[in-house]
Amino acid sequence: MPGPRSSSDPCPAPDTVGEVIRWAAFSCVLVPVVLLWYGTSLAGAAGTALGLTAVTAVCRLLLRRSERCAARCAAQRGGRHTRGQTPVD
């Protein structure tokens, strides 16, 4: 049975925003390729790629902003547990 974790060895949080953005960038490339494969014009596929890229950029901006705001709120409150009712092992 593993022992308790030390406070100097925190578990790193996954970069979920980065993962979402990587999948969105992948789809920005994949969707136009599929559209071309199925016979859509080059201009239509390029327009789709530009639209997806614009939406991805705005979503990335909003997600990063949300992360910063959440981190700032957590820092102002002194962390996640504000009521002191954390169970002790």
Side-chain angles (χ1 to χ4, degrees), residues 20-76:
V20 168
I21 297 302
R22 280 191 294 278
W23 278 107
F26 174 70
S27 71
C28 287
V29 174
L30 182 65
V31 169
V33 169
V34 170
L35 289 174
L36 287 172
W37 182 268
Y38 282 101
T40 304
S41 68
L42 183 60
T48 301
L50 288 174
L52 286 172
T53 302
V55 168
T56 300
V58 170
C59 287
R60 179 182 185 273
L61 188 135
L62 292 173
L63 285 168
R64 293 294 182 190
R65 182 176 176 210
S66 175
E67 271 188 335
R68 285 192 303 270
C69 290
R72 193 174 330 126
C73 287
Q76 288 175 351

